[in-house]
Amino acid sequence: EPREGTVLTVISVAATTAAAHADDPPGDLVRAVADRAAEALDRTTDQLPELASAGVVDAGARGFLVLLDSLVAVITGVSARRRRYRGSLMGGGRPGHPDDATCSGSSEMDFEVMYLLDGAAGEHIGALRDELDRIGDAVVIVGDSSSGDGERFSVHVHTCEPGKAVQAGLAAGQMSDIRISCFALDAIRSQVDSAEPPPRYKRAIVAVVKGQGAAALFADAGAAVVRADGGVSTDILAQAIRDTDAAHVIVMANGAMTSQDLVSVAADVRSQQRSVVSLPTLSMAQCLAALAVHDPGESADADAYAMAEAAAGARWGSLRRAEGRMMTLAGTCEVGDILGLIGSDVLVIAPDQTEAATALLDLMLATGGEMVTVLAGSEVDDAALDALAEHVRRNYAGIELSVYATGQGDDLIQVGIE
């Protein structure tokens, strides 16, 4: 029973547009199709009462637009920019549902029944559909003859009489893979685990750091600190997240863990009462920039976005001692040389820390900056730090310099530019 305001409406508009622009160059064709589909998507809210009540566009149609926009990006190399599609809050209750709202368009059945059916003749499928329509709703029967062993049908129905739905299938053919789900039980299982107490705090920040000074610095900035001087395991990070006892946790591993490990940790500790967001910070300098804009008074999503934006906007570099002879973008280095890196690229090779530090800073400030933050490791020379401060004073008037003794053992210094 097709209805206007669903993905079918948007597909129809896309097909009509494609036919009208069939003779256009491919780039113009796909752009026209995607733009008309976006306009049709916006209209779905007014076409279906359920969508109007919830204040949202049709989800399937939105997904179809994602596919069209991806097609545009592949063919033209330019990604379309769309508005954010968000639901509205109505009546102070759940999103899109006033407290006195009724669900007139949804199923009132208690069970979902699905099974596969083999060896059924066409007239048997017609009779099966009639019987399932009589005892339930949301009936879907799809045939598949790709296996070459005759047609197999996938059957789906919502009903209060699951036994009769199965009996109807038995009368039509050979059944397999029978699945019966109870909506009430699914709802109970999806509820918050009563064994897990509600969190005490709304929000927390977990920062993975190296060095005793860094631990104190980030703790003073409000973060729960995990030391990674000798490496850090997923189990340790997961426990640190749980120990925050917070409903929303932002994690910054600062290059100490792989992205796969961070995804694994987040999946392990996420629950009905705890959300976890990992910001892709690769250095403590980026982490410090993110913490500077952290605002507990903001909404969790807005706060995480602002922190991610600040971290991404902070250019960072480091000094390290070469442990072997190797080719770099700056030439060939020898054992013991001081390397200046911007991100992960070696752009400076110098015989001593002072020359390397000033050369690295000049490169990083070539594109501008207002504030320089230096995180000093345990092996850095005091003379190099003094020379760096003097270099900023003489050559970069108006730029603020902050130096923190963080004590990390791998980088001689980390430099952040904002």
Side-chain angles (χ1 to χ4, degrees):
E1 300 176 8
R3 297 175 65 184
E4 289 298 320
T6 66
V7 62
L8 299 180
T9 300
V10 179
I11 290 175
S12 177
V13 170
T16 302
T17 305
H21 292 266
D23 296 328
D24 292 356
D28 295 339
L29 168 63
V30 294
R31 274 194 295 265
V33 171
D35 290 343
R36 296 295 84 74
E39 295 170 2
L41 173 66
D42 286 335
R43 291 194 293 271
T44 60
T45 301
D46 299 325
Q47 292 169 327
L48 271 179
E50 293 87 348
L51 299 179
S53 172
V56 296
V57 296
D58 182 76
R62 178 67 184 104
F64 180 64
L65 179 59
V66 171
L67 299 180
L68 293 179
D69 283 340
S70 299
L71 181 62
V72 171
V74 168
I75 292 179
T76 69
V78 179
S79 298
R81 298 190 66 177
R82 303 294 179 197
R83 71 175 180 86
R84 292 187 178 185
Y85 295 89
R86 292 176 172 174
S88 59
L89 293 175
M90 303 173 61
R94 291 174 296 154
H97 296 277
D99 291 335
D100 58 349
T102 58
C103 299
S104 57
S106 63
S107 173
E108 296 180 353
M109 303 300 172
D110 294 334
F111 297 90
E112 179 182 50
V113 180
M114 294 178 285
Y115 50 80
L116 299 178
L117 193 62
D118 293 289
E123 60 272 18
H124 294 159
I125 294 300
L128 174 62
R129 184 183 298 277
D130 290 342
E131 174 62 12
L132 296 181
D133 279 332
R134 186 185 68 79
I135 64 173
D137 60 19
V139 176
V140 179
I141 302 178
V142 180
D144 178 14
S145 56
S146 60
S147 65
D149 298 328
E151 191 160 19
R152 164 174 284 188
F153 295 90
S154 177
V155 181
H156 172 279
V157 63
H158 293 174
T159 179
C160 289
E161 301 177 277
K164 289 186 177 180
V166 173
Q167 289 175 348
L170 288 171
Q174 182 180 353
M175 296 176 60
S176 61
D177 196 16
I178 303 171
R179 287 170 287 171
I180 301 176
S181 300
C182 175
F183 293 128
L185 284 177
D186 288 343
I188 292 172
R189 288 167 180 163
S190 67
Q191 291 176 358
V192 176
D193 183 3
S194 59
E196 181 181 3
R200 296 177 57 192
Y201 306 104
K202 290 183 178 180
R203 200 170 313 162
I205 310 294
V206 175
V208 180
V209 304
K210 297 178 181 179
Q212 182 60 39
L217 175 65
F218 284 91
D220 289 343
V225 171
V226 176
R227 293 286 295 273
D229 302 77
V232 60
S233 69
T234 56
D235 291 339
I236 290 175
L237 181 59
Q239 189 57 50
I241 294 172
R242 295 188 184 97
D243 289 344
T244 63
D245 201 9
H248 185 88
V249 184
I250 297 174
V251 179
M252 291 179 281
N254 305 324
M257 299 185 70
T258 66
S259 57
Q260 294 90 335
D261 284 342
L262 287 174
V263 170
S264 174
V265 169
D268 181 46
V269 300
R270 191 176 289 118
S271 71
Q272 291 288 340
Q273 301 204 59
R274 182 192 303 112
S275 65
V276 180
V277 175
S278 295
L279 302 190
T281 53
L282 296 176
S283 68
M284 294 191 295
Q286 286 181 304
C287 182
L288 202 59
L291 276 172
V293 301
H294 170 49
D295 184 359
E298 274 284 3
S299 68
D301 289 340
D303 187 36
Y305 183 87
M307 294 178 67
E309 195 172 41
R315 305 192 304 279
W316 69 281
S318 60
L319 289 189
R320 297 176 186 172
R321 197 182 305 276
E323 297 180 353
R325 191 173 189 271
M326 62 180 178
M327 286 291 297
T328 74
L329 293 177
T332 303
C333 71
E334 303 293 340
V335 176
D337 282 344
I338 306 301
L339 309 180
L341 296 85
I342 298 180
S344 58
D345 295 324
V346 177
L347 300 180
V348 173
I349 300 175
D352 59 70
Q353 296 183 24
T354 297
E355 184 178 338
T358 54
L360 176 65
L361 189 64
D362 288 339
L363 279 178
M364 296 184 70
L365 287 175
T367 54
E370 298 177 353
M371 183 169 66
V372 177
T373 302
V374 175
L375 306 182
S378 59
E379 300 297 325
V380 68
D381 293 338
D382 291 338
L385 295 178
D386 293 340
L388 194 61
E390 182 65 16
H391 187 70
V392 171
R393 186 185 66 81
R394 287 185 176 182
N395 299 284
Y396 299 100
I399 290 183
E400 179 183 349
L401 172 66
S402 298
V403 180
Y404 300 98
T406 43
Q408 69 274 6
D410 47 2
D411 294 332
L412 297 169
I413 63 171
Q414 285 190 12
V415 182
I417 305 290
E418 299 175 63

